[in-house]
Amino acid sequence: MQPSNERSHAPMFFLVIPCFNEEEVLHETASRLRTKFDQLIQDRLADPESRVLFVDDGSKDSTWKIISELHDEDSLFSGLKLSRNEGHQSALLSGLLYAARYADAIGSMDADLQDDINVLDQMLEKIAEGYDVVYGVRNNRDTDTGFKRWTAQTFYKFQKSMGVDTVYNHADYRVITKRVAEDLGEYKEVNLFLRGIIPLIGYRSCCVYYSRGERFAGESKYNLKKMVAFAVDGITSFSIKPIKMIAVSGFIIFLLSLIALIYLLIGHAVGNVQIGWTSTMASIWLLGGLQLFAIGIVGEYVGKAYLEAKRRPRYFIDKVLLTDTQKHDGKDVTSD
Ligand code: UDP
Ligand code: MG
């Protein structure tokens, strides 16, 4: 940063952090962020009234209690409490849309600080340069377990082959401007996959690289079941290629069975009628399995259409803890 290029007006910056059972990490996260925000404010990258917005995604532990205590001690920390566990993406969305009311720039990050907070400077500089979306991209995955790394990489590659356009090695660590957050609110789908939607919004974007650290306490809140659900959503919410693939594979299997039929008829004509029971059963099972699989994929889309058609609300905000920023008369919007 060059002192000659001093900004007269630093952006009101809100950092949204979804939290699900994060009691073990919150104090540490908060103290690191306090230090970081002091520095960002001093460097005029963020307005002094900037906020960290924790979104409690229906935690069962003392997460909300800790957020309330942090808020009482320091107005930097604010909180939203969702009425129940809605999942990472919905929690994040609720925070982004809420923050868009007050902020010029809105960041998102995980509670475990696996993403390096020291690149926030660079991200905010990019916003000041006029970018609307700044993606945090990790340049290593050394600290993830082998299994996590493998599943994540396979997921990215699979998605790409399915025609879903995401930024490689980018999770939900990014900074967007107010207008991008507002535009995000125009996407009404219930099946949310923010990494796929943000690139669709457009505007000028860029990447900032960092190395991803380890979760310093607690366990990953994504179990295998949540990861698989997330991966399936990530594809079926954006691409109809799987449906096309079913049609193609169905056609190929049909051709193969015609050839098999010819072979069997010739065998029959020649008098060789001892067709093996095993192979008959095998083909029944194989085709039965394929059909079920195909129906399952179609069902996935039908199910999506059903959920979207209902237009159900994606989340409810139970409580808000936010000492309103000076821009808005210093009014306290805390509600219980
Ligand atoms: N999270 C959430 N709701 C959920 C699951 C996770 O808000 O149902 C939050 C979690 O508290 C964390 C972020 O999403 O801040 C990412 O989760 P985690 O760090 O466990 O995922 P990983 O880094 O293992 O992918
Ligand atoms: Mg994590």
Side-chain angles (χ1 to χ4, degrees):
M1 235 198 7
Q2 318 89 315
S4 57
N5 188 21
E6 227 174 324
R7 282 165 214 95
S8 53
H9 173 63
M12 180 68 72
F13 178 52
F14 270 53
L15 183 61
V16 177
I17 303 189
C19 308
F20 178 57
N21 296 340
E22 296 286 10
E23 61 181 6
E24 284 162 281
V25 304
L26 273 178
H27 283 292
E28 177 67 21
T29 298
S31 82
R32 291 195 205 175
L33 285 173
R34 178 72 259 184
T35 316
K36 188 70 210 168
F37 269 69
D38 284 341
Q39 180 243 310
L40 290 173
I41 291 164
Q42 205 183 0
D43 291 346
R44 294 189 171 226
L45 285 166
D47 185 282
E49 291 294 317
S50 293
R51 296 278 184 267
V52 171
L53 181 61
F54 291 111
V55 181
D56 177 12
D57 184 17
S59 299
K60 299 274 179 288
D61 64 0
S62 59
T63 296
W64 182 249
K65 194 171 150 265
I66 297 172
I67 294 172
S68 319
E69 284 163 8
L70 288 168
H71 170 74
D72 290 343
E73 287 161 20
D74 187 342
S75 66
L76 171 70
F77 301 111
S78 43
L80 286 186
K81 180 175 163 56
L82 300 191
S83 57
R84 55 178 283 245
N85 179 247
E86 297 285 359
H88 180 199
Q89 299 288 295
S90 294
L92 190 52
L93 181 81
S94 69
L96 294 175
L97 297 185
Y98 201 86
R101 301 184 194 179
Y102 307 97
D104 304 315
I106 303 137
S108 55
M109 158 180 268
D110 292 352
D112 52 22
L113 296 194
Q114 278 185 286
D115 307 302
D116 183 6
I117 57 171
N118 291 315
V119 297
L120 281 175
D121 304 59
Q122 246 177 300
M123 291 173 133
L124 287 169
E125 276 166 24
K126 293 283 181 199
I127 293 286
E129 279 171 34
Y131 288 96
D132 275 280
V133 182
V134 185
Y135 298 104
V137 177
R138 59 186 95 144
N139 51 20
N140 76 345
R141 272 188 175 266
D142 303 347
T143 52
D144 278 350
T145 61
F147 176 68
K148 180 102 196 179
R149 191 161 59 216
W150 182 80
T151 46
Q153 256 158 20
T154 313
F155 173 41
Y156 278 119
K157 283 184 192 147
F158 187 53
Q159 258 193 330
K160 190 149 187 86
S161 71
M162 288 287 152
V164 183
D165 184 24
T166 52
V167 177
Y168 188 68
N169 260 347
H170 160 70
D172 282 303
Y173 185 30
R174 72 177 86 78
V175 178
I176 58 178
T177 55
K178 189 192 205 73
R179 62 175 176 172
V180 176
E182 283 168 353
D183 293 347
L184 191 59
E186 300 294 318
Y187 288 80
K188 302 294 184 198
E189 55 226 75
V190 177
N191 292 288
L192 262 189
F193 189 67
L194 288 168
R195 282 170 227 183
I197 291 176
I198 304 249
L200 290 182
I201 297 177
Y203 302 116
R204 262 179 94 199
S205 66
C206 63
C207 296
V208 159
Y209 297 87
Y210 68 96
S211 57
R212 188 164 155 105
E214 259 168 271
R215 186 177 246 281
F216 62 82
E219 283 169 3
S220 173
K221 304 297 179 284
Y222 267 99
N223 50 28
L224 186 62
K225 195 174 149 209
K226 275 191 181 173
M227 270 193 316
V228 170
F230 189 56
V232 171
D233 271 357
I235 291 156
T236 52
S237 303
F238 285 88
S239 157
I240 54 160
K241 224 169 168 176
I243 289 185
K244 289 186 185 141
M245 276 167 45
I246 292 171
V248 172
S249 59
F251 184 68
I252 293 171
I253 290 167
F254 173 68
L255 285 185
L256 289 179
S257 56
L258 280 186
I259 296 167
L261 190 68
I262 293 168
Y263 172 76
L264 291 175
L265 285 176
I266 293 171
H268 186 75
V270 173
N272 186 10
V273 285
Q274 283 295 349
I275 297 166
W277 183 81
T278 327
S279 56
T280 312
M281 289 311 279
S283 60
I284 289 172
W285 280 95
L286 180 74
L287 288 176
L290 269 173
Q291 280 167 346
L292 277 181
F293 176 64
I295 293 169
I297 295 184
V298 174
E300 182 69 30
Y301 285 95
V302 174
K304 285 239 147 68
Y306 168 69
L307 287 176
E308 299 300 348
K310 284 199 286 199
R311 299 219 155 267
R312 282 196 175 171
R314 293 173 287 196
Y315 54 82
F316 292 112
I317 294 171
D318 178 8
K319 290 173 185 165
V320 181
L321 291 175
L322 173 70
T323 311
D324 208 349
T325 53
Q326 273 167 6
K327 268 187 163 179
H328 298 263
D329 318 323
K331 185 179 60 153
D332 204 286
V333 295
T334 304
S335 71
D336 290 278

